[in-house]
Amino acid sequence: MFFLAVGLAMDAFSVSITRGMILKCNLKYALTIAIFFGAFQALMPVAGWLAGEQLAALVEVWAPWIAFILLALVGGKMIYEGLREEDEDEDVCRVFSIRDILILSVATSIDAFAVGVTFAFLNTPILLPILIIGLVTFLLSFIGVYIGKKAGHLFGSKIEVLGGLILIAIGIKILLETML
């Protein structure tokens, strides 16, 4: 179960690193990202488990496209904001919004929904897996923000463009994994 949780958390971990690269804020923001990502990774298997086979075929077809579109939208917004001229005194936390974190939380946790459907098929009790998945994702996301924050200064002022490109690349990876 731990390895499943780590596997599910990898997209959230990667996105957390990109957010950490551009956030020059405090512990509150790292905790917020970790809580959202951990909660969504824990709740999506419950939704999949409750939905069972009724939604399995629908999710299997559309989930990669939804994740790709959401990541591409947020990544595109980051690239746009990174390329536009801005005042140096502008709020360095402006890239943090609850809407963005919600979108990223959904995009990185759609595969957890499918895992929940699998749990339903296998009659697997759901409580322990969601606790492990949520906790592992929380920890990796929190750590990811700090890794990104430490590495972000190495890339200069256009780190937001790199972060946006990374989000789009993650979306493409999710899409290609289902096509190949």
Side-chain angles (χ1 to χ4, degrees), residues 7-138:
L8 287 173
M10 283 298 102
D11 287 341
F13 177 67
S14 300
V15 171
S16 296
I17 291 172
T18 66
R19 298 310 282 181
M21 287 177 169
I22 57 176
L23 291 176
K24 300 186 177 45
C25 306
N26 60 25
L27 176 68
K28 173 185 164 187
Y29 296 98
L31 281 173
T32 302
I33 289 169
I35 288 168
F36 271 83
F37 284 8
F40 272 78
Q41 285 285 8
L43 293 175
M44 289 296 252
V46 173
W49 187 72
L50 293 172
E53 63 185 77
Q54 291 82 6
L55 293 177
L58 181 65
V59 168
E60 189 174 308
V61 171
W62 291 105
W65 287 99
I66 293 168
F68 168 72
I69 290 168
L70 293 175
L71 289 168
L73 287 172
V74 175
K77 178 182 174 219
M78 287 173 63
I79 292 168
Y80 169 77
E81 289 175 354
L83 292 176
R84 73 176 194 178
E85 296 296 321
E86 61 187 50
D87 183 9
E88 287 298 319
D89 294 330
E90 188 175 334
D91 180 13
V92 294
C93 293
R94 69 170 164 66
V95 295
F96 176 81
S97 76
I98 295 298
R99 187 194 67 194
D100 287 347
I101 298 303
L102 279 171
I103 291 169
L104 292 170
S105 297
V106 170
T108 59
S109 65
I110 291 175
D111 53 346
F113 183 92
V115 168
V117 172
T118 303
F119 288 157
F121 288 143
L122 299 174
N123 290 325
T124 302
I126 196 76
L127 185 59
L128 183 60
I130 64 168
L131 290 174
I132 293 170
I133 291 167
L135 182 62
V136 167
T137 303
F138 172 85

Side-chain angles (χ1 to χ4, degrees), residues 22 75 78-83 158-166:
I22 57 176
M78 287 173 63
I79 292 168
Y80 169 77
E81 289 175 354
L83 292 176
K158 296 300 181 192
I159 192 63
E160 203 165 352
V161 174
L162 178 62
L165 291 171
I166 290 170

Side-chain angles (χ1 to χ4, degrees), residues 163-179:
L165 291 171
I166 290 170
L167 289 183
I168 293 169
I170 292 169
I172 291 170
K173 176 191 81 87
I174 290 169
L175 199 57
L176 290 176
E177 284 175 346
T178 61
M179 294 180 173

